[in-house]
Amino acid sequence: MTSQRLGAAVPSRRRVLQAAMAAITAITPFTGAQAQQTWPFKPVTLVVPFPPGGTTDVLARALGTALAKSLGQPVIIDNRPGAGATIGADYVAKSKPDGYTLLMGAVHHTIATSVYKKLPYDFQKDFAPITTVAVVPNVLVVNSSTPVRNVAELVALLKAQPDKGTYGSNGNGTAQHLIGTQFQNSTGVALTHIPYKGSGPLATDLLGGQILMSFDTITPVLQHIRSHKLRALAVTTATRSPALPEVPTLDEAGLKGFNIGTWFGVLAPAGTPRDIVARLNTEMVKVIQSPEFIKRMDEIGAQPVGDKPEDMARTLKTETERFAELVRVGKVVME
């Protein structure tokens, strides 16, 4: 009788195994599709391949602040400048494709594909486009102390005093570098390219008179134009900028067919799960199309976009092909 009671009190082997499996399931993190449903459960890092203060950085911080609220997780801005924005891009390309490390890309990346002979990544294959955030025109500016008030006078000055022909850019192989090269080829003037690591140090030297001019995006120079410390001579896009409606285009100034602007967008490492890319696109487009974000873009001279991943992918392909031709004609090649 006693042995029967003891036997009844001892659990069967099956029950022991079932209890053990239940315990393991309870403490094991979700994997695969289940893990993706819980995304994001930690901060998201948005890599900016330029120093703080430039257009890429300003856009990233404006987007990140609003995106953090919609995702319910902090969005950390990680500035990784250098090598024409390729150092930051390479870092993201080699990051884990889990939606937690993203790149604030720009037109410079479509140019770098043709400018640099050896890149440690393939911009077309190693990234998953999420959305284009904004398009920002570039603007030709000079220090206000320079005795020129339009493009024709600038060209005349450069031809009369070729030693003054210095222009700054955000680095070798960037849009500003290529614009300067095309300007030089279109006008026949001699220009010396001075590469910087970003718009901040570039603007400092431009304001200080260390260089004659630049072709930077409107955002970092707009306040200096409005305070009359810098003088805008022309925008580089086919149409005038709403932020500077009185400033003509280079095409209007006599350089027919000149049309180069700068796009900015967010990309993830290739292989990032589609549902995470879709979620990021939904949340980002929501931010980009919000009245608050649009107002902020108006203030810095940017035109918000907010397109689908497949739309951005087509833009990247088209831009890469277009700039490859400009690089070939301008003979801008870096080792």
Side-chain angles (χ1 to χ4, degrees):
M1 193 70 161
T2 303
S3 62
Q4 288 179 345
R5 288 200 197 97
L6 290 173
V10 177
S12 68
R13 178 174 295 180
R14 172 181 283 184
R15 289 179 181 176
V16 171
L17 289 174
Q18 288 176 336
M21 290 300 296
I24 292 172
T25 302
I27 64 174
T28 301
F30 289 116
T31 58
Q34 290 176 311
Q36 294 169 21
Q37 292 174 3
T38 65
W39 184 93
F41 55 82
K42 63 180 182 179
V44 174
T45 297
L46 182 54
V47 174
V48 175
F50 289 106
T55 305
T56 316
D57 183 72
V58 172
L59 288 174
R61 293 179 188 278
L63 177 66
T65 299
L67 187 62
K69 296 178 182 178
S70 63
L71 292 179
Q73 290 289 346
V75 175
I76 300 169
I77 305 301
D78 182 8
N79 296 89
R80 291 177 177 264
T86 62
I87 290 178
D90 182 47
Y91 174 79
V92 175
K94 292 177 171 59
S95 296
K96 187 176 181 180
D98 55 7
Y100 291 104
T101 305
L102 310 174
L103 173 69
M104 190 68 183
V107 66
H108 316 293
H109 295 112
T110 50
I111 297 173
T113 299
S114 299
V115 169
Y116 288 88
K117 290 183 178 180
K118 295 180 180 179
L119 279 178
Y121 61 87
D122 186 320
F123 192 64
Q124 297 294 324
K125 297 179 180 179
D126 293 341
F127 292 93
I130 296 173
T131 190
T132 306
V133 177
V135 175
V136 184
N138 292 67
V139 57
L140 166 56
V141 294
V142 296
N143 190 294
S144 58
S145 63
T146 305
V148 297
R149 297 193 171 274
N150 54 53
V151 173
E153 291 181 1
L154 174 63
V155 172
L157 173 67
L158 292 172
K159 288 184 176 180
Q161 303 179 53
D163 58 309
K164 288 191 174 182
T166 55
Y167 78 97
S169 79
N170 284 348
N172 290 313
T174 59
Q176 295 92 335
H177 182 189
L178 198 61
I179 291 171
T181 300
Q182 186 169 348
F183 181 86
Q184 181 175 342
N185 293 338
S186 300
T187 59
V189 300
L191 293 177
T192 299
H193 173 229
I194 310 295
Y196 291 82
K197 286 188 176 181
S199 295
L202 166 58
T204 297
D205 276 7
L206 185 59
L207 290 166
Q210 279 74 36
I211 56 175
L212 175 66
M213 60 188 192
S214 78
F215 299 91
D216 209 343
T217 48
I218 285 179
T219 303
V221 296
L222 187 58
Q223 60 176 326
H224 302 306
I225 294 171
R226 289 174 174 170
S227 65
H228 305 293
K229 293 179 181 179
L230 296 178
R231 182 178 300 125
L233 303 184
V235 293
T236 66
T237 44
T239 58
R240 295 193 181 196
S241 168
L244 296 170
E246 72 285 357
V247 178
T249 66
L250 279 174
D251 182 88
E252 292 173 322
L255 279 64
K256 297 302 179 183
F258 208 112
N259 179 24
I260 300 178
T262 299
W263 61 263
F264 299 87
V266 182
L267 305 97
T272 301
R274 291 184 179 181
D275 56 344
I276 292 181
V277 171
R279 171 81 187 281
L280 281 165
N281 176 266
T282 298
E283 299 298 344
M284 288 184 186
V285 170
K286 192 185 304 180
V287 169
I288 294 167
Q289 295 179 352
S290 69
E292 296 80 11
F293 193 83
I294 292 173
K295 180 181 178 182
R296 177 59 177 146
M297 294 302 98
D298 287 342
E299 293 171 351
I300 63 176
Q303 301 163 14
V305 180
D307 53 4
K308 296 179 179 179
E310 54 268 30
D311 296 326
M312 186 182 182
R314 282 192 291 269
T315 297
L316 297 185
K317 184 176 184 298
T318 301
E319 288 286 278
T320 300
E321 293 171 350
R322 183 167 77 98
F323 281 115
E325 178 62 18
L326 292 177
V327 167
R328 185 189 66 78
V329 174
K331 299 179 181 179
V332 182
V333 178
M334 306 299 298
E335 294 296 334

